[in-house]
Amino acid sequence: TASLIGGLLFTPLYAKTGQCMGRKNAIIFGFIGAIVINTACGLVAYIPAEKWQYFIILITVLCFIMGYFDNLIS
């Protein structure tokens, strides 16, 4: 759900990005960003269990950002 909320919050930024970059470039940027964010989500698994707070914060922020890139792709 954090990804959906992030997509909703980043809608004005998505609209501005689409205007500035053009639709094709925005989609390419979205795919590249999605790959980077998904890789970062996988790397978050290496955070030690004792620092679970960092895990929760990081994964939530990454999901918010992923919502923006999902908007660009769609």
Side-chain angles (χ1 to χ4, degrees), residues 2 6 11 20-21 26-28 30-32 38 42-45 50-52 54-57 63 73:
T11 300
C20 292
M21 298 178 98
I27 292 171
I28 292 170
F31 273 118
I32 292 170
N38 281 323
L43 293 174
V44 168
E50 301 84 39
K51 303 200 187 241
W52 61 270
Y54 295 126
F55 175 83
I56 299 293
I57 291 169
C63 283
I73 294 169

Side-chain angles (χ1 to χ4, degrees), residues 34-45 58-59 62:
I35 291 168
V36 170
I37 295 296
N38 281 323
T39 303
C41 285
L43 293 174
V44 168
L58 257 166
I59 205 73
L62 288 172

